[in-house]
Structures are given as structure tokens and as C-alpha cells.
Amino acid sequence: MKWYFPREHGAWAMLVFPYWTGAVMAGVSMTHGLFFAGIFFVYLLQAPLLAKLRQAKRNDIWPSFLLYSFLGAVFLLPQFWRDPEVLALVMAALPFFFINMLFAKLKKERLLVNDFAAITGLSWLLVIAFYLGEGFISAAEVLYAGLYIFFFMASVFHVKSLIRERNNPSFHRISFVYHLLLPVGAVVLNLYAAAAAFFLTFIKAALIPSEQLRRPMQIGMIEMVNSIIFFVLILAGYF
């Protein structure tokens, strides 16, 4: 019996940091922990599901699929029953994951638009977590979810420039300009904590020698540390 687990290091950061940013903004409660457990199992669920979409003949995905589905339902359905608006917020993110499934079926998962769809759907968890704590959402939470989208897209550009696009000068230039525009845009919007976080992201991309980063584990650890710094600075700016 084979158990499927997501292997992408970056995707774990995208699952954890936006959600707990929203939870801290609203005030962490037991509800946040229980709901995150459900989200965690739904996230695990996408591994066997995407494997099936890539290879339709695979039938070893069902133990993982059924177990993750059951556990996700155990944690999520009670919250949906108590507050249907939470279900509506979750449904708002589903189109982005349908896009991921489509690209998995087409075997074009490396396209930037596929990364953008996944990042947008996971960053929306910030809004959901805030609603779980406060019972409402405002433009501020949507804005901070947007900051996470820009941040994680910077990570995608950086990682691709180190691995798959290592020998593509045009991609490196696009990545450099994107990283440079992020702190500038944050300053224009008077989001100074975000500007500081984006500036550190720019420094990371511009100054760390790519020759020293050839192993995915090294790259993943640096991106995780950068995500923690972003998490701390974003919350500092919010409060």
C-alpha cells in the first residue's frame, strides 16, 4: 500500500504561513487549530489526486485519498455546519485548485500561471483564518493575502532561476526586476514592514551566489528562513 505526500518544500510554507498570519491577526483560538487540521488533510489529499490526474491508470492512490478525505471531513464539516460563511470562503478558493488539477492533467505544471493559481488559493487561507477568529473580513486582510501572493511568486521566480532557468538570462532579468519592484511598491503603499521584508527578499535573490545553491534542500531551507522572516515582519507591520 502506497501513501502519497506532497514533496514540494515551498508549498508547505504556502500552506502554513498565510493561515497562521490570519490566525495571529485575529487572535489564535482552538478553532484555528481544529480547522487547520482539516486544511492539512485536504492539502495531503491533493497528492494522490494529482497523481491520478497525471496517470489515469494508477489505482494505488485510493487508500491515501479515502483516509485524507475522511480526516479532512471530520475536522472541517462541523465548522461548515456551524458557520456556512466559512464554507463560502473556502469555495472562493476552489477555482484556483481546479486550475492546478487542469495543468496536472495536461502535464504542464511547471508553468508560472499554475504556480500563481496555487499561491493565490493558499494565500486566501489568511482571510479564512482571520474570519474564523473575528467573524468578519475587511480590505486589510485581503491586502495582506495579496502581499503573500507577491512574496511567494518572488520565491517561485528565484527558485526557477536557480534550477530550471539557471541558463536563461532573460528569466534572470525578469526575476531581478520583479524582486526590485516589490519593496518599491510597498513603500509607495506606505507598507514599510512589508517593504523591509521584500527588500530582504531582493537581497537574498541578488546577492546569494547561485553557484553555491545547487541542491534543492539548500534552496528550500533558505526559502523557509525567508518565509519565517516575512511572517514576523508582516505581523509586526499589521500590529
Side-chain angles (χ1 to χ4, degrees), residues 40-168:
F40 173 78
F41 286 114
V42 170
Y43 176 71
L44 293 183
L45 175 65
Q46 58 94 22
L49 180 59
L50 293 179
K52 182 69 172 177
L53 289 171
R54 296 183 193 111
Q55 296 178 304
K57 294 182 179 181
R58 299 198 74 144
N59 292 314
D60 61 350
I61 63 103
W62 297 115
S64 294
F65 181 86
L66 293 173
L67 178 62
Y68 299 154
S69 297
F70 172 76
L71 292 174
V74 166
F75 287 102
L76 294 180
L77 289 181
Q79 184 62 43
F80 293 157
W81 179 263
R82 287 193 297 270
D83 191 346
E85 289 189 19
V86 178
L87 176 59
L89 288 172
V90 171
M91 294 292 288
L94 286 183
F96 298 104
F97 297 108
F98 290 149
I99 293 172
N100 293 152
M101 288 189 283
L102 174 62
F103 280 111
K105 183 69 174 176
L106 297 174
K107 295 181 172 61
K108 294 184 177 180
E109 294 173 271
R110 296 175 183 173
L111 294 178
L112 282 173
V113 66
N114 185 54
D115 294 319
F116 177 77
I119 288 168
T120 302
L122 291 171
S123 296
W124 186 248
L125 290 173
L126 185 154
V127 176
I128 295 173
F130 185 86
Y131 179 85
L132 286 171
E134 293 287 0
F136 69 90
I137 56 174
S138 66
E141 291 74 52
V142 177
L143 171 63
Y144 277 85
L147 293 178
Y148 264 107
I149 294 171
F150 284 114
F151 171 74
F152 284 128
M153 281 303 297
S155 181
V156 168
F157 274 112
H158 182 55
V159 171
K160 285 184 181 293
S161 70
L162 293 173
I163 303 177
R164 302 195 185 280
E165 303 293 341
R166 175 183 289 272
N167 299 314
N168 185 343

Side-chain angles (χ1 to χ4, degrees), residues 116-236:
F116 177 77
I119 288 168
T120 302
L122 291 171
S123 296
W124 186 248
L125 290 173
L126 185 154
V127 176
I128 295 173
F130 185 86
Y131 179 85
L132 286 171
E134 293 287 0
F136 69 90
I137 56 174
S138 66
E141 291 74 52
V142 177
L143 171 63
Y144 277 85
L147 293 178
Y148 264 107
I149 294 171
F150 284 114
F151 171 74
F152 284 128
M153 281 303 297
S155 181
V156 168
F157 274 112
H158 182 55
V159 171
K160 285 184 181 293
S161 70
L162 293 173
I163 303 177
R164 302 195 185 280
E165 303 293 341
R166 175 183 289 272
N167 299 314
N168 185 343
S170 296
F171 191 90
H172 282 252
R173 285 192 292 270
I174 293 171
S175 176
F176 181 86
V177 171
Y178 181 86
H179 279 82
L180 182 60
L181 289 176
L182 289 179
V184 173
V187 169
V188 170
L189 294 174
N190 297 321
L191 300 170
Y192 298 113
F198 285 137
F199 180 71
L200 291 175
T201 297
F202 169 72
I203 293 298
K204 174 209 69 178
L207 297 186
I208 294 180
S210 60
E211 295 78 10
Q212 305 301 319
L213 294 176
R214 295 188 178 274
R215 289 193 245 169
M217 182 62 72
Q218 292 176 320
I219 298 170
M221 288 299 295
I222 291 174
E223 294 304 309
M224 184 62 71
V225 170
N226 195 42
S227 296
I228 293 171
I229 294 171
F230 188 82
F231 172 76
V232 171
L233 289 177
I234 283 295
L235 286 173

